[in-house]
């Protein structure tokens, strides 16, 4: 299964690279069901001028459209950066089985770093969390993006 995690995270990294090329924070996401990618997205906050246009939220919406229901049971989200509180909430609400992320986010991480919304026992659904898959590659993209921003 770990090989599959790496394979799908590479696809999420390609989405992050697409975000980078569009001057968006380089975060990419893919959603997989039964070994098949059913949705892919990258951050589009700047392009859409929408603070909710994070890769995870866009991928969740696309996956729900693909399967014809908001319940994404049996699906795994691969995302290059640990989800923020908003995205972690959307992950729980969409009933995803699992989230696999690349880099930890020390400023906004809500799947283990600052909060653990995905596994909070007070909520009606909990999500398996697997962290650190292709961490170095995710960090490199983020560092390069923010280094360019700082000039």
């Amino acid at each position: 299964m770990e090989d599959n995690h790496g394979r799908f995270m590479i696809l999420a990294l390609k989405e992050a690279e697409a975000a980078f090329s569009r001057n968006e924070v380089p975060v990419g996401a893919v959603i997989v069901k039964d070994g098949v990618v059913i949705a892919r997205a990258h951050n589009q906050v700047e392009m859409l001028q929408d603070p909710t246009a994070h890769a995870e939220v866009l991928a969740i919406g696309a996956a729900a459209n693909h399967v014809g229901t908001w319940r994404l049971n049996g699906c795994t989200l691969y995302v290059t950066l640990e989800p923020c509180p908003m995205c972690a909430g959307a992950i729980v609400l969409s009933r995803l089985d699992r989230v696999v992320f690349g880099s930890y986010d020390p400023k906004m991480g809500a799947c283990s770093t600052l909060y653990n919304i995905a596994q909070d026992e007070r909520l009606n659904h909990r999500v398996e969390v697997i962290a650190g898959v292709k961490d170095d590659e995710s960090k490199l993209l983020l560092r390069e993006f923010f280094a360019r921003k700082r000039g």
Side-chain angles (χ1 to χ4, degrees):
M1 185 61 137
E2 225 172 277
D3 287 339
N4 282 338
H5 291 327
R7 180 169 64 96
F8 291 124
M9 189 60 78
I10 288 169
L11 298 176
L13 283 162
K14 287 182 189 218
E15 288 295 319
E17 290 167 358
F20 187 104
S21 73
R22 291 171 175 84
N23 205 29
E24 298 276 358
V25 175
V27 177
V30 298
I31 296 181
V32 175
K33 182 174 179 74
D34 300 324
V36 176
V37 174
I38 62 168
R40 59 182 72 221
H42 56 269
N43 276 2
Q44 295 184 42
V45 172
E46 297 298 334
M47 185 179 90
L48 298 176
Q49 288 299 295
D50 179 353
T52 68
H54 290 197
E56 301 95 318
V57 170
L58 296 172
I60 287 168
N65 285 335
H66 178 85
V67 298
T69 180
W70 60 269
R71 292 175 186 89
L72 297 178
N73 302 94
C75 295
T76 299
L77 168 69
Y78 293 87
V79 61
T80 57
L81 182 64
E82 181 180 2
C84 72
M86 175 185 70
C87 293
I91 288 163
V92 170
L93 291 172
S94 65
R95 308 298 195 271
L96 282 157
D97 285 1
R98 178 179 310 104
V99 60
V100 179
F101 70 83
S103 296
Y104 290 91
D105 186 347
K107 296 187 183 229
M108 290 291 287
C111 287
S112 68
T113 302
L114 297 178
Y115 309 101
N116 195 347
I117 293 169
Q119 296 179 319
D120 191 317
E121 292 183 3
R122 297 168 293 182
L123 301 177
N124 66 335
H125 179 73
R126 278 161 294 292
V127 181
E128 178 185 1
V129 176
I130 299 171
V133 177
K134 301 286 182 194
D135 175 41
D136 290 339
E137 294 89 332
S138 297
K139 277 184 194 168
L140 182 65
L141 263 178
L142 289 161
R143 281 187 188 131
E144 186 177 338
F145 177 80
F146 287 111
R148 285 187 184 182
K149 282 288 189 194
R150 290 181 199 105

